[in-house]
């Protein structure tokens, strides 16, 4: 981690929020907690995965800063277990990863992490990413519009945030729901990953593999054969296109 003692926290006032920092390195944790506290957040900390699950339940944070390499229970398992709980199912997560851990980053995104910061990192950059993820989470995607969004046997209710294919309810995360709703509203149009990040979630920066991961997860939930998708097609050199099944 790179640290400049005189480096100030970002001046832009963040929304009020509670942050749980999980890192077993006391020096890293102390610096991160200090920067987030000075940025206006209420901060708690945990030193291992087991303690993180206990503190997440007691502290009820608005966002989790989570190191992947943890004793007791690693960060990926912490994320997996949180996603299976009521509060944790939609808890924004910013992961801290080692420079070469691309496979772990992708798996973390598949488990629902919202962003990651690679070690060594600037604490100021981390605070900016926390600001951004919290804003995105609180915006919760596009404002709901009245009426159902339908295509073939797919049916989405934006106000109730419920989705069905035929009689089967689809268990979608917030980001998956917003992505599917956007694609259903623009059938036959190909969108690049950067455009989807900006138009669906309002993200001005981030890892493009986030879009790839969410498309793959959507295919697993809506396609008859996710390995040979017919609803969400890959347009090589462009991105993705939704093609409703006719008849």
């Amino acid at each position: 981690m790179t640290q400049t003692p005189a480096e100030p926290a970002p001046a832009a006032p963040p929304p009020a929020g509670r942050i749980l920092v999980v890192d077993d390195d006391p020096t890293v944790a102390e610096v991160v907690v200090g920067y987030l506290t000075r940025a206006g957040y209420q901060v708690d900390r945990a030193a291992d995965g087991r303690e993180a699950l206990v503190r997440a339940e007691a502290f009820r944070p608005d966002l989790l800063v989570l190191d992947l390499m943890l004793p007791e229970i690693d960060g990926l398992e912490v994320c997996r277990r949180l996603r299976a709980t009521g509060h944790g199912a939609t808890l924004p997560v910013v992961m801290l990863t080692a420079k070469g851990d691309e496979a772990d980053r992708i798996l973390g995104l598949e488990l629902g992490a919202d962003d990651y910061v690679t070690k060594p990192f600037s604490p100021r950059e981390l605070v900016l990413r926390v600001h951004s993820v919290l804003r995105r989470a609180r915006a919760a995607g596009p404002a709901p519009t009245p009426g159902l969004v339908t295509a073939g046997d797919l049916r989405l209710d934006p106000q109730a945030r419920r989705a069905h294919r035929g009689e089967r309810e689809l268990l979608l995360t917030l980001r998956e729901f917003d992505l599917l709703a956007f694609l259903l509203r623009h059938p036959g149009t190909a969108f690049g990953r950067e455009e989807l990040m900006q138009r669906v979630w309002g993200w001005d920066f981030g890892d493009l593999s986030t879009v790839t991961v969410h498309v793959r997860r959507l295919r697993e939930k809506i396609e008859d054969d996710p390995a040979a998708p017919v609803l969400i097609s890959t347009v090589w050199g462009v991105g993705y296109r939704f093609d409703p099944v006719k008849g």
Side-chain angles (χ1 to χ4, degrees), residues 111-134:
L111 291 173
D114 298 82
D115 203 351
Y116 70 86
V117 177
T118 302
K119 294 181 176 180
F121 59 86
S122 160
R124 188 167 183 266
E125 177 192 359
L126 175 60
V127 174
L128 287 170
R129 288 182 179 268
V130 166
H131 288 358
S132 178
V133 169
L134 267 180

Side-chain angles (χ1 to χ4, degrees), residues 197-209:
M197 288 182 69
Q198 201 284 323
R199 295 186 63 179
V200 177
W201 302 308
W203 299 4
D204 295 322
F205 66 90
D207 189 339
L208 292 179
S209 62

Side-chain angles (χ1 to χ4, degrees), residues 161-173:
R161 307 290 294 187
R162 298 183 68 179
H164 291 79
R165 183 170 185 195
E167 298 303 314
R168 176 170 61 92
E169 183 165 9
L170 305 173
L171 301 179
L172 305 180
T173 66

Side-chain angles (χ1 to χ4, degrees), residues 107-230:
L107 182 54
L109 292 170
E110 287 181 333
L111 291 173
D114 298 82
D115 203 351
Y116 70 86
V117 177
T118 302
K119 294 181 176 180
F121 59 86
S122 160
R124 188 167 183 266
E125 177 192 359
L126 175 60
V127 174
L128 287 170
R129 288 182 179 268
V130 166
H131 288 358
S132 178
V133 169
L134 267 180
R135 289 190 188 101
R136 290 180 338 220
R138 285 167 174 170
T145 56
L148 297 177
V149 181
T150 62
D153 61 351
L154 283 167
R155 185 174 74 259
L156 274 66
D157 184 340
Q159 292 185 320
R161 307 290 294 187
R162 298 183 68 179
H164 291 79
R165 183 170 185 195
E167 298 303 314
R168 176 170 61 92
E169 183 165 9
L170 305 173
L171 301 179
L172 305 180
T173 66
L174 271 175
R175 284 175 292 283
E176 290 167 359
F177 186 97
D178 290 335
L179 177 58
L180 184 57
F182 179 84
L183 292 172
L184 262 62
R185 291 187 178 107
H186 301 88
T189 302
F191 295 98
R193 293 186 298 171
E194 288 186 8
E195 186 176 10
L196 287 171
M197 288 182 69
Q198 201 284 323
R199 295 186 63 179
V200 177
W201 302 308
W203 299 4
D204 295 322
F205 66 90
D207 189 339
L208 292 179
S209 62
T210 302
V211 178
T212 306
V213 167
H214 282 88
V215 168
R216 182 163 69 242
R217 289 171 62 89
L218 268 181
R219 284 171 170 166
E220 291 171 354
K221 295 178 180 182
I222 71 172
E223 299 278 1
D224 293 327
D225 181 2
V230 297

Side-chain angles (χ1 to χ4, degrees), residues 190-193 234-240:
F191 295 98
R193 293 186 298 171
T234 298
V235 182
W236 298 110
V238 180
Y240 302 100

Side-chain angles (χ1 to χ4, degrees), residues 48 86 247:
D48 60 58

